[in-house]
Amino acid sequence: MSDRITLTGIRVRAHHGVFDFERAEGQDFVIDVTAWLDLGPAARGDELAATVHYGELAEAVAAAVASDPVDLIETVAERIARVVLSFPVQRTEVTVHKPNAPIAVPFTDVAVTVLRDRAWAEAGATGAACSADAVGAAGSAGGVGSANTVEEVQP
């Protein structure tokens, strides 16, 4: 499936990180999400109900990032993937940027990217990374499961 909806640069203030000051002070996280789905029915019928409402998707992603602080952005990325897959999509790519990460050398950005699909969601593996509130914000949850890819990027 090549049809997709892409949300780029969702900025959320949250309290994720391994250091106490990250939890106390918080910082901005920037999220990019691509959701693959068949956009043909929506395009042919010009019907919002036949696609994913990207405003609702953005709000659900932001709620997932803002909830329940965790140590790793890898955990945040999988939480977001679970939320995206609770919508009627076949797969998702989620990138979590942490532009103000506490790194001792000059850098532009650090990010993790996960690619997850419907089979992963339907496999039903569990994980503490996904809060019930975050999934609830997206509607009915699609489930959770095993990993496909994780990559770290540090320019």
Side-chain angles (χ1 to χ4, degrees):
M1 167 107 16
S2 61
D3 297 352
R4 62 191 173 272
I5 294 173
T6 302
L7 294 167
T8 305
I10 300 170
R11 187 170 299 273
V12 181
R13 185 92 178 159
H15 298 266
H16 307 295
V18 298
F19 298 110
D20 290 341
F21 68 87
E22 292 179 291
R23 295 292 182 100
E25 298 169 18
Q27 61 191 295
D28 288 339
F29 294 84
V30 181
I31 314 302
D32 302 326
V33 172
T34 301
W36 280 267
L37 68 157
D38 184 0
L39 298 175
R44 286 188 294 279
D46 197 30
E47 292 291 329
L48 178 59
T51 189
V52 170
H53 187 305
Y54 49 77
E56 292 175 0
L57 178 60
E59 290 174 8
V61 167
V65 175
S67 69
D68 302 327
V70 295
D71 289 344
L72 303 177
I73 58 176
E74 291 86 344
T75 305
V76 177
E78 281 213 338
R79 176 187 296 170
I80 295 165
R82 287 184 184 100
V83 168
V84 175
L85 288 166
S86 73
F87 286 81
V89 304
Q90 293 307 306
R91 90 178 167 208
T92 186
E93 180 178 278
V94 175
T95 301
V96 177
H97 302 266
K98 189 174 179 180
N100 299 309
I103 298 174
V105 298
F107 74 102
T108 302
D109 189 22
V110 63
V112 299
T113 298
V114 298
L115 180 61
R116 302 292 184 262
D117 61 18
R118 176 70 42 213
W120 173 81
E122 292 171 354
T126 60
C130 188
S131 77
D133 291 340
V135 172
S140 65
V144 295
S146 61
N148 291 347
T149 62
V150 176
E151 67 182 84
E152 289 195 25
V153 179
Q154 183 175 331

